[in-house]
Amino acid sequence: MFEGDRTFCQRNVETGLMEWFFSAREGVYGPFLDKEKAAKALDKFIKFNAETFDDGGRSSKSQVKLSLEPLGSSMNTIKLDNTKSKRGKEN
């Protein structure tokens, strides 16, 4: 159901710090301070979806309706800005 390594890191161009994220069908979540915290948040995310029978829309039999209710304070969806190159310059 949930396979592969979904955690990754990238450098914050403003702070220079490495930040960790995890990806899911629903989006990219983070940043987290380290890989362990990102992995724990991913586990929490998976357990929450399993407990609520949320299959990410893969089944027409899904009992979960779309909701705008936040999952918790440690779960933040971010949008990655793909308009800048790795050096921070506009493409």
Side-chain angles (χ1 to χ4, degrees), residues 62-80:
S62 179
Q63 299 174 8
V64 176
K65 304 297 181 202
L66 292 178
S67 171
L68 297 177
E69 182 178 331
L71 293 177
S73 61
S74 65
M75 301 285 187
N76 299 314
T77 303
I78 64 157
K79 299 257 186 210
L80 296 178

Side-chain angles (χ1 to χ4, degrees), residues 41-90:
L42 174 58
D43 288 341
K44 182 178 175 181
F45 179 82
I46 292 170
K47 287 177 185 172
F48 174 83
N49 287 325
E51 289 170 1
T52 60
F53 304 104
D54 185 357
D55 63 2
R58 284 172 249 156
S59 169
S60 61
K61 298 177 184 178
S62 179
Q63 299 174 8
V64 176
K65 304 297 181 202
L66 292 178
S67 171
L68 297 177
E69 182 178 331
L71 293 177
S73 61
S74 65
M75 301 285 187
N76 299 314
T77 303
I78 64 157
K79 299 257 186 210
L80 296 178
D81 184 2
N82 294 330
T83 61
K84 294 184 179 181
S85 70
K86 290 183 179 178
R87 294 186 182 153
K89 297 178 182 177
E90 296 293 329

Side-chain angles (χ1 to χ4, degrees), residues 30-46:
F32 300 94
L33 294 177
D34 56 43
K35 185 174 184 174
E36 183 178 301
K37 286 183 176 48
K40 285 182 181 180
L42 174 58
D43 288 341
K44 182 178 175 181
F45 179 82
I46 292 170

